[in-house]
Amino acid sequence: MVDRQSPLEPDYHTGSHGNFEHGVDVILSETRPGSILQLAAWPGEEKKLIDAIRKVTGLALPDGAGGGITNGGRAAFGFAPGKFTVVDEAEGLAQAFAGVITPAIGTITDLSHGRTAMRIAGPKAEWVLAKFFAIDFALPAFPLGAGRSTNHHDVFAQIQRSGADQFDIYVFRSFARSFWKALCHASEEVGYEVH
């Protein structure tokens, strides 16, 4: 994995913070995946693109915006009609797709250098995220693997539920530090830990 300096580094302080004397209800971390891709299908080619995602990653992605799947090291979700975010812990995922997604099917955009991945987990993760986004984060409305594309003020964010009480958030690298500081601040009242 190419070691890129994290944009969060100056404000990434491990340990317990905020009101944690009665316990920690949120855990924050940066995940640093090796590959973050955006795949887009041309109209009418969506099923071929979904099949290509399955062939390359082994992820059986449901059809439709918002549907997604995660299996630890790899994840994928639709965030708009015919558009998908695909993430892998390993680098080189764009090259793996290059031979499978032809120009007739759609496009591949490697966003690994331009996105920062953060994780929020814990019993109050939904509650903290609801401070930022007008989304129903409850499990029935936002099932495991599902993804959403939204924004907080001018910060574009893609969010995927990667566990029962865990979400991965992808933001533009240039906004990452500002969003991280806001996320930490929003977590103070429930007590948070940075790993």
Side-chain angles (χ1 to χ4, degrees):
M1 180 167 141
V2 175
D3 191 24
R4 293 183 274 267
Q5 182 177 354
S6 169
L8 306 181
E9 203 167 284
D11 293 300
Y12 198 89
H13 308 292
T14 58
S16 298
H17 306 278
N19 183 17
F20 63 88
E21 52 271 357
H22 298 294
V24 170
D25 284 325
V26 170
I27 297 170
L28 303 177
S29 59
E30 180 182 14
T31 60
R32 297 183 137 201
S35 299
I36 303 172
L37 307 180
Q38 177 178 303
L39 307 179
W42 301 121
E45 301 297 322
E46 296 85 359
K47 295 210 183 307
K48 288 181 184 174
L49 186 71
I50 290 169
D51 189 51
I53 292 169
R54 185 192 50 74
K55 285 179 184 171
V56 172
T57 66
L59 298 172
L61 189 64
D63 193 358
I69 188 167
T70 181
N71 75 354
R74 290 184 167 165
F77 62 93
F79 65 90
K83 294 185 179 183
F84 304 89
T85 296
V86 183
V87 180
D88 195 332
E89 285 181 358
E91 292 183 0
L93 192 59
Q95 291 81 8
F97 275 110
V100 180
I101 298 177
T102 65
I105 294 173
T107 62
I108 306 163
T109 307
D110 190 344
L111 303 174
S112 306
H113 64 288
R115 298 288 189 272
T116 298
M118 302 170 203
R119 177 170 286 159
I120 181 170
K124 292 288 187 177
E126 292 177 8
W127 185 80
V128 170
L129 288 175
K131 290 181 173 187
F132 292 95
F133 307 107
I135 293 175
D136 185 352
F137 287 99
L139 198 52
F142 200 142
L144 183 62
R148 304 288 183 264
S149 184
T150 186
N151 64 11
H152 171 68
H153 294 285
D154 290 331
V155 179
F156 174 72
Q158 292 182 312
I159 306 166
Q160 183 178 33
R161 182 185 287 272
S162 53
D165 63 355
Q166 177 176 289
F167 297 86
D168 292 337
I169 307 165
Y170 305 94
V171 299
F172 289 116
R173 187 175 171 85
S174 56
F175 288 108
R177 188 180 309 160
S178 173
F179 185 78
W180 175 259
K181 287 165 72 173
L183 192 59
C184 290
H185 180 68
S187 303
E188 285 178 349
E189 68 183 292
V190 297
Y192 71 98
E193 192 168 304
V194 176
H195 285 188

